[in-house]
Amino acid sequence: MFSWFLKFGVLPVKFTQSTIVPLVKDKCADLSDVENYRAIMISNAVTKVLEFVLLDKLSSSSYVDEYQFGFKAKHSTGLCTNVLKRTIDYYTERGSYVFRSFVDFSKAFDRVNYWKLFNKLLDDNIAYDIVKLLSFWYSHQSVSVCWQNTQSQSFGIQNGTRQGSI
């Protein structure tokens, strides 16, 4: 079945439907603050299996991946922070100035233009059939929101990555 999906680049409707469940980030904080919630997308079990199959087929040829700290096995942002501190110490101990800047990517996953992402995957030599399937999946996804045992009507999503996905 998954081979057929890859060959033709389409998915059944059930694979494109998900439910978003808002989870509280900090129960002691203001529960009426929308920023205090993280949206997790829940899909059916077979969809998760498909995600693992696709993940197994993905391999990147980009050298940039070697420098990624977060969202990667056996890496953490703590390691990155340590490297940054050691680098700053190295230069300041030798009398140099160190300039740094930080970028807040806290909402980055919510704002990803996935068409640009798919082009980047193609540029990185990810197999065309995988990118074609992902583009179909993302462009046909519909979600509903479940809040306190009440389900909303389904609606489409135009950007952002699938939170809670593999």
Side-chain angles (χ1 to χ4, degrees), residues 56-107:
D56 191 50
K57 292 183 171 293
L58 290 173
S59 64
S60 174
S61 61
S62 175
Y63 73 91
V64 175
D65 293 348
E66 297 172 21
Y67 303 104
Q68 178 179 338
F69 288 94
F71 306 105
K72 187 175 178 183
K74 299 180 183 176
H75 289 74
S76 73
T77 54
L79 178 61
C80 181
T81 303
N82 186 39
V83 170
L84 175 65
K85 286 180 180 179
R86 289 178 49 206
T87 302
I88 291 171
D89 290 344
Y90 175 86
Y91 284 102
T92 56
E93 287 170 2
R94 287 160 179 77
S96 292
Y97 292 104
V98 176
F99 300 95
R100 63 184 175 175
S101 65
F102 292 95
V103 178
D104 181 4
F105 289 114
S106 62
K107 300 288 184 188

Side-chain angles (χ1 to χ4, degrees), residues 20-82:
I20 293 176
V21 177
L23 297 179
V24 177
K25 291 179 184 176
D26 182 358
K27 292 180 182 179
C28 297
D30 182 4
L31 296 179
S32 65
D33 181 6
V34 71
E35 296 296 322
N36 192 27
Y37 290 87
R38 175 179 49 239
I40 299 299
M41 191 176 294
I42 300 173
S43 302
N44 63 52
V46 181
T47 300
K48 290 289 186 184
V49 173
L50 175 60
E51 290 175 357
F52 276 110
V53 168
L54 291 175
L55 181 62
D56 191 50
K57 292 183 171 293
L58 290 173
S59 64
S60 174
S61 61
S62 175
Y63 73 91
V64 175
D65 293 348
E66 297 172 21
Y67 303 104
Q68 178 179 338
F69 288 94
F71 306 105
K72 187 175 178 183
K74 299 180 183 176
H75 289 74
S76 73
T77 54
L79 178 61
C80 181
T81 303
N82 186 39

Side-chain angles (χ1 to χ4, degrees), residues 2 5-11 15-16 47 50-59 113-122 125-141 157-158 160-162 165-166:
F2 293 160
F5 295 163
L6 280 170
K7 181 178 181 178
F8 294 102
V10 295
L11 291 168
F15 280 79
T16 63
T47 300
L50 175 60
E51 290 175 357
F52 276 110
V53 168
L54 291 175
L55 181 62
D56 191 50
K57 292 183 171 293
L58 290 173
S59 64
N113 177 324
Y114 44 77
W115 297 109
K116 288 183 181 178
L117 178 63
F118 298 144
N119 283 324
K120 294 282 186 192
L121 291 173
L122 290 171
N125 298 318
I126 300 299
Y128 176 78
D129 56 348
I130 293 174
V131 177
K132 182 179 174 184
L133 182 62
L134 288 172
S135 66
F136 179 89
W137 198 345
Y138 272 73
S139 63
H140 290 82
Q141 66 184 335
I157 296 178
Q158 303 301 317
T161 58
R162 295 172 51 87
S165 242
I166 303 303

